[in-house]
Amino acid sequence: MKHLIHICAALLPSLAGAHPHIFVDTGVELIADDAGRLAQVKVTWAYDDYYSLLIAQDLGIDQDFDGQASDADRETLTGFDMKWIEGFNGDLVLRIDGAEVALSRPIAPTADLTGGRIITTHLRDVADTPVLAGAMVELLPYDATYYTAYDVTLPVRVTGAEACMIETALPDIQGKLAELQDQLQLLDRDTDIADTDLPQPGAAFATRITVQCPGV
């Protein structure tokens, strides 16, 4: 990643900040209803130690510094990361058979502090509840600006459907860096990055989750 920063800084200073400041271990659960339709997505975020410490200090929790949340702490924490501005996609893209599917704003949030790390969950309703059987489901958790890095290290599962195949494909970091370097070298120093078709850094480095459940 330092390589990317040096490339960006040398060619387009406006891209120099394209590196993560917050690191989040991520898990996803696809929840099917009784009819086998994808009804909800449950997302788990486990924040890195440093960011967790900053939030704990900001909210005044864990006053005994044992890295664990009390009931009062959990109440204070719950929803701290759910204050989304209008149009924010929750740093999650869902596609069914290649077409992007809308997700609701977060509902039923939870939060905890364990081992010094803040862990939160939330649910999102899936628009039109598409049928899971036979569909290709794709999920990409990422922040377009790459300020936050999402690593899919927590469980990815499906409930309400059986025998689904789940695959997690890590990004080709070196390949994406090479592509970005090639594209940047074609640009003039005075180029406004907003006027280019360069890929969003977060999308380029996103982990791709695919789920396929057997057809009827």
Side-chain angles (χ1 to χ4, degrees), residues 4 7-8 11-12 14-15 144 176-188 191-204:
L4 172 62
I7 292 169
C8 295
L11 296 173
L12 278 174
S14 61
L15 284 181
K176 296 298 183 182
L177 285 174
E179 289 178 13
L180 181 58
Q181 182 178 17
D182 290 343
Q183 291 173 305
L184 286 172
Q185 288 176 337
L186 298 175
L187 301 180
D188 184 88
T191 300
D192 186 343
I193 192 64
D195 296 331
T196 73
D197 60 356
L198 286 173
Q200 298 171 329

Side-chain angles (χ1 to χ4, degrees), residues 21-76:
H21 294 73
I22 303 170
F23 300 86
V24 182
D25 289 329
T26 305
V28 178
E29 180 181 2
L30 302 180
I31 302 172
D33 62 18
D34 292 341
R37 306 179 72 90
L38 180 56
Q40 292 181 314
V41 176
K42 183 178 182 180
V43 180
T44 301
W45 289 337
Y47 294 94
D48 65 80
D49 293 328
Y50 180 64
Y51 185 71
S52 295
L53 177 61
L54 293 179
I55 295 298
Q57 291 177 337
D58 185 56
L59 296 179
I61 66 170
D62 191 27
Q63 294 296 300
D64 57 4
F65 301 104
D66 67 350
Q68 308 297 320
S70 65
D71 289 342
D73 289 340
R74 279 186 282 273
E75 184 175 351
T76 300

Side-chain angles (χ1 to χ4, degrees), residues 19-140:
H19 63 284
H21 294 73
I22 303 170
F23 300 86
V24 182
D25 289 329
T26 305
V28 178
E29 180 181 2
L30 302 180
I31 302 172
D33 62 18
D34 292 341
R37 306 179 72 90
L38 180 56
Q40 292 181 314
V41 176
K42 183 178 182 180
V43 180
T44 301
W45 289 337
Y47 294 94
D48 65 80
D49 293 328
Y50 180 64
Y51 185 71
S52 295
L53 177 61
L54 293 179
I55 295 298
Q57 291 177 337
D58 185 56
L59 296 179
I61 66 170
D62 191 27
Q63 294 296 300
D64 57 4
F65 301 104
D66 67 350
Q68 308 297 320
S70 65
D71 289 342
D73 289 340
R74 279 186 282 273
E75 184 175 351
T76 300
L77 267 177
T78 299
F80 88 92
D81 54 354
M82 298 291 109
K83 300 170 183 177
W84 298 358
I85 63 173
E86 190 66 31
F88 177 56
N89 74 346
D91 287 345
L92 181 66
V93 172
L94 169 66
R95 299 190 186 115
I96 306 290
D97 294 331
E100 189 165 336
V101 176
L103 296 168
S104 73
R105 292 181 62 83
I107 56 178
T110 73
D112 203 353
L113 176 71
T114 180
R117 297 185 67 183
I118 294 174
I119 302 172
T120 72
T121 71
H122 60 276
L123 290 169
R124 301 183 69 183
D125 291 333
V126 178
D128 302 324
T129 55
V131 175
L132 269 178
M136 168 62 79
V137 180
E138 181 181 19
L139 294 132
L140 295 104

Side-chain angles (χ1 to χ4, degrees), residues 125-213:
D125 291 333
V126 178
D128 302 324
T129 55
V131 175
L132 269 178
M136 168 62 79
V137 180
E138 181 181 19
L139 294 132
L140 295 104
Y142 69 89
D143 170 11
T145 67
Y146 207 45
Y147 189 89
T148 302
Y150 294 92
D151 294 321
V152 185
T153 57
L154 302 179
V156 178
R157 58 171 65 95
V158 180
T159 59
E162 298 181 355
C164 298
M165 293 183 59
I166 300 172
E167 294 184 356
T168 302
L170 298 176
D172 177 10
I173 298 294
Q174 293 304 317
K176 296 298 183 182
L177 285 174
E179 289 178 13
L180 181 58
Q181 182 178 17
D182 290 343
Q183 291 173 305
L184 286 172
Q185 288 176 337
L186 298 175
L187 301 180
D188 184 88
R189 285 180 179 271
D190 297 326
T191 300
D192 186 343
I193 192 64
D195 296 331
T196 73
D197 60 356
L198 286 173
Q200 298 171 329
F205 303 127
T207 297
R208 179 173 179 264
I209 303 167
T210 56
V211 178
Q212 287 184 287
C213 300

